[in-house]
Amino acid sequence: MEGTVIGPGPYRATKLWNETIKLFRSGMPLRRHWANFRCYDWSFTGSEAVDYLHDLLRRNYNFGPEVTRYQTLQLLKKFLKAHVIEDIKGRHGTEDFEDTGHLYRFPTMSPLKSIPTRSLLRDSNDLPRLIRWDDYEELPQQENTAPSKPAVLTSDLWNKRHSVAIGDVHECKLIRRKEVTPKQVDHIWKTMTISHLQRVLGLKTLDGVLNPVHVNGKHIVHNVTKVNKTGIVVLDNKAEDMPYWVVSAMKCLANWPNGNDSKQPVYPGFERDVLKTVGEYFQRLRQPLLTFHLYEVFVNILSLLSDKEVTTEALQISCLLLPPPNRRRLQLLLRLMARVSQNQQLPSLNDMIPTRTLMVQMFSQCVLGSVDEMDLDELLSTKLVTFMMEHYNTIFQVPSKLRSQVDEHLSHLRRVQIKYAGTDTDCSVSPAFCKQIRRVEAEEPKGLIADKELPARDKKKRLKQFQKSYPEIYQNRFPTHESKAAVVPEKAPRPKPHLMLFNLKKSFQPFQRSWSFRA
């Protein structure tokens, strides 16, 4: 395909608008035309412009073969209003472009848009920051705790119980973060989702693409956790949901011919009236379902369409940023579009346009659009919505990698950590944490050496049990037989019974001799 591929980056739609204008101006054939007995050089007719631009867009990678002639005509109308072209008398803006023999020309002034500039974020504090180990509270020392209750190990008690295995340790304290609040959970989901999105889009920064201020962590958590069995978002406030009559109309078309729950009489053209009802509802929404704030995010995803897996993951992450009512409407709408497009039993909904094309043309601008009406909204939304309609079953799933990263981070924050005296718990260093063990295991090495009243036999028995549970620690503490003997000295071997009898007989021999001598 022709044209420069506009990759992801800030204000991609504006760059794509300028690129399209450059291609059109540089390639559009210009020649001499006659009108009203006058000769006009370097001009072209409206029909010639539609023919050329339509072919150009269909061969361009950024748009593709889905572009229709009607969409090309709409773009030329925008060109005329934006003074990209003008009629032969120099009029533009208020005039309407005509797909006829009416003459047009290019103005001498440059019609390109200036790319907006946004001040960079001043410092890293403006970006969402993950909760770190810096925020913690010291665990209170619990003394005289009943054995049946869970105990919190202080540094002194920890040293006493484990000195047999690892020797002396530096003074330490067990710390943990304060209880993670729902607000902090929302913040963690927001921060990690934005970071994940930046990585998938392949951008060094999201400046000019997404402002973190417009991302609500509570929306993300809601979209992840509050869904029904089919994955559709469930709203807490039913007043934010679509009206009942719209939902009924959508079910009627999506499940045709078995979706008429209201038992309304079906007449010729009934399905077209139902579609018109649904279309009017979505076209009257105040802003597109993907919202104006996320426009640049979804336009950047268009540059990834050559890689299906990457595009799907980018859409999965981006759709998590939507307000729950928008996400629910989008899910139901895309499911409707896909089912209607594939339903062979559904009568034709338009005499001129195939059903699949009709679905995309009717609802694409209800899904994606920008505040600036001069942008390529219709062409860009057509390409994006076509992909979303074909993969609606997967784009609303939560990325497994993102979910696991968030769960791991939350689990990490809830763990108890050992902090040694003189050290800091900076997030730049991977923090150590206590590995939870059973209370019985913690009690095993207690007093093996310090307790002098404990018989050596019992010490050996407990050391063997400790060796089976912690072989590495045991090997480090007792690398040689002598090191073990220094802790638990071995007794002299007991003589065997037959040797004891032999020695006893031997000791009586002098007495036997003296007795026999006397006799």
Side-chain angles (χ1 to χ4, degrees):
M1 292 186 178
E2 297 180 357
T4 303
V5 178
I6 307 297
Y11 306 105
R12 182 178 183 273
T14 303
K15 296 177 181 178
L16 195 55
W17 169 273
N18 290 343
E19 174 70 14
T20 304
I21 292 175
K22 290 179 181 179
L23 293 175
F24 180 52
R25 285 176 62 94
S26 62
M28 178 66 202
L30 305 177
R31 61 187 181 88
R32 175 179 297 179
H33 289 85
W34 289 85
N36 300 324
F37 305 103
R38 291 189 58 182
C39 176
Y40 296 94
D41 293 327
W42 311 103
S43 61
F44 53 90
T45 67
S47 298
E48 291 173 347
V50 176
D51 291 338
Y52 176 79
L53 185 58
H54 184 212
D55 182 66
L56 174 67
L57 296 174
R58 287 172 58 86
R59 290 185 290 107
N60 189 285
Y61 171 82
N62 298 293
F63 303 103
E66 298 89 1
V67 178
T68 63
R69 186 178 180 86
Y70 173 79
Q71 292 173 328
T72 306
L73 177 61
Q74 296 302 114
L75 179 58
L76 283 167
K77 289 182 179 181
K78 291 185 177 182
F79 280 178
L80 183 61
K81 290 182 180 180
H83 204 191
V84 176
I85 59 177
E86 62 184 16
D87 72 359
I88 206 64
K89 296 181 180 180
R91 294 174 297 187
H92 64 89
T94 57
E95 302 295 320
D96 195 14
F97 184 86
E98 300 177 5
D99 187 5
T100 62
H102 195 76
L103 295 181
Y104 297 91
R105 67 188 181 190
F106 291 115
T108 55
M109 61 179 296
S110 174
L112 300 181
K113 290 184 177 182
S114 59
I115 299 178
T117 57
R118 176 185 294 176
S119 58
L120 296 176
L121 298 174
R122 289 170 294 178
D123 52 46
S124 58
N125 293 329
D126 293 333
L127 293 172
R129 182 182 69 86
L130 281 174
I131 300 174
R132 305 178 303 184
W133 272 104
D134 300 86
D135 305 321
Y136 65 86
E137 61 177 352
E138 181 178 335
L139 291 180
Q141 296 185 0
Q142 299 182 4
E143 298 180 355
N144 300 325
T145 305
S148 59
K149 297 182 180 180
V152 178
L153 298 181
T154 62
S155 59
D156 293 339
L157 183 58
W158 193 91
N159 276 322
K160 291 180 180 179
R161 293 186 177 181
H162 295 79
S163 60
V164 65
I166 61 175
D168 295 334
V169 295
H170 298 289
E171 182 181 358
C172 64
K173 296 179 181 180
L174 297 188
I175 59 176
R176 68 180 175 190
R177 244 200 53 79
K178 296 180 180 179
E179 187 66 24
V180 181
T181 64
K183 185 177 181 180
Q184 291 169 334
V185 173
D186 297 344
H187 179 79
I188 291 172
W189 268 102
K190 171 181 176 178
T191 304
M192 301 194 77
T193 302
I194 293 176
S195 177
H196 203 72
L197 176 63
Q198 179 177 335
R199 181 187 62 79
V200 174
L201 292 179
L203 299 175
K204 294 182 179 179
T205 176
L206 289 177
D207 185 61
V209 176
L210 175 64
N211 189 341
V213 175
H214 298 146
V215 179
N216 191 326
K218 185 176 296 185
H219 292 168
I220 300 175
V221 175
H222 187 115
N223 293 333
V224 171
T225 58
K226 298 183 179 182
V227 296
N228 59 20
K229 294 180 180 180
T230 59
I232 305 296
V233 173
V234 178
L235 302 180
D236 295 332
N237 185 3
K238 300 302 179 182
E240 297 178 340
D241 203 352
M242 292 183 293
Y244 174 77
W245 53 271
V246 177
V247 177
S248 298
M250 296 177 70
K251 288 182 178 179
C252 179
L253 284 178
N255 302 314
W256 187 274
N258 303 316
N260 190 5
D261 295 336
S262 59
K263 306 301 180 183
Q264 295 182 1
V266 178
Y267 52 84
F270 173 78
E271 64 282 348
R272 297 190 180 189
D273 289 343
V274 174
L275 177 62
K276 182 179 179 181
T277 300
V278 176
E280 289 178 349
Y281 169 78
F282 282 98
Q283 291 165 3
R284 290 175 181 174
L285 295 177
R286 295 182 178 180
Q287 62 173 312
L289 295 177
L290 298 181
T291 72
F292 292 138
H293 293 312
L294 299 177
Y295 176 77
E296 284 289 341
V297 174
F298 286 96
V299 169
N300 273 270
I301 295 177
L302 287 171
S303 63
L304 307 173
L305 290 182
S306 58
D307 191 326
K308 177 182 173 181
E309 293 184 0
V310 176
T311 304
T312 301
E313 184 178 6
L315 287 172
Q316 289 174 341
I317 302 170
S318 302
C319 288
L320 286 176
L321 308 180
L322 296 172
N326 289 47
R327 182 179 171 94
R328 177 176 172 82
R329 289 180 174 87
L330 182 62
Q331 286 179 294
L332 296 176
L333 177 59
L334 291 176
R335 185 176 68 177
L336 168 69
M337 296 170 61
R339 290 185 177 181
V340 169
S341 301
Q342 299 169 1
N343 192 347
Q344 300 296 330
Q345 298 181 351
L346 186 66
S348 176
L349 299 175
N350 190 283
D351 297 332
M352 304 295 295
I353 306 175
T355 301
R356 182 177 182 275
T357 305
L358 177 65
M359 290 292 102
V360 175
Q361 289 187 3
M362 177 176 288
F363 295 108
S364 60
Q365 289 188 284
C366 304
V367 175
L368 179 67
S370 68
V371 179
D372 188 356
E373 296 182 357
M374 300 303 175
D375 280 327
L376 305 171
D377 292 352
E378 190 169 352
L379 296 177
L380 298 178
S381 61
T382 297
K383 190 170 185 179
L384 180 65
V385 172
T386 300
F387 183 92
M388 297 180 73
M389 180 181 67
E390 294 173 348
H391 303 88
Y392 81 96
N393 277 326
T394 57
I395 62 175
F396 291 107
Q397 298 176 2
V398 181
S400 57
K401 189 173 183 180
L402 173 62
R403 185 192 291 270
S404 62
Q405 288 177 347
V406 174
D407 291 342
E408 182 180 353
H409 187 77
L410 290 174
S411 176
H412 169 72
L413 290 177
R414 295 186 176 107
R415 293 190 183 112
V416 177
Q417 183 191 17
I418 303 175
K419 182 181 179 183
Y420 293 94
T423 62
D424 192 12
T425 53
D426 190 6
C427 66
S428 61
V429 181
S430 179
F433 56 88
C434 291
K435 178 181 179 182
Q436 186 177 5
I437 61 176
R438 298 194 307 271
R439 179 179 177 85
V440 177
E441 294 176 346
E443 294 287 351
E444 288 297 334
K446 180 181 180 181
L448 291 181
I449 300 175
D451 192 355
K452 297 182 179 180
E453 297 181 358
L454 187 67
R457 182 177 180 181
D458 293 340
K459 289 185 179 182
K460 289 183 179 180
K461 186 177 179 180
R462 292 194 182 184
L463 274 178
K464 286 183 179 180
Q465 294 176 352
F466 190 80
Q467 181 182 11
K468 293 179 180 179
S469 302
Y470 310 98
E472 295 181 358
I473 300 178
Y474 183 89
Q475 182 63 29
N476 292 335
R477 181 61 181 84
F478 304 110
T480 63
H481 181 75
E482 290 75 11
S483 60
K484 178 182 176 182
V487 175
V488 184
E490 297 184 359
K491 292 184 178 180
R494 296 178 60 183
K496 296 182 180 180
H498 67 279
L499 294 178
M500 294 177 61
L501 182 60
F502 175 79
N503 293 333
L504 182 61
K505 289 181 178 180
K506 192 173 182 180
S507 61
F508 272 97
Q509 285 180 356
F511 296 97
Q512 290 178 353
R513 292 175 181 175
S514 62
W515 181 260
S516 58
F517 176 76
R518 290 178 182 178

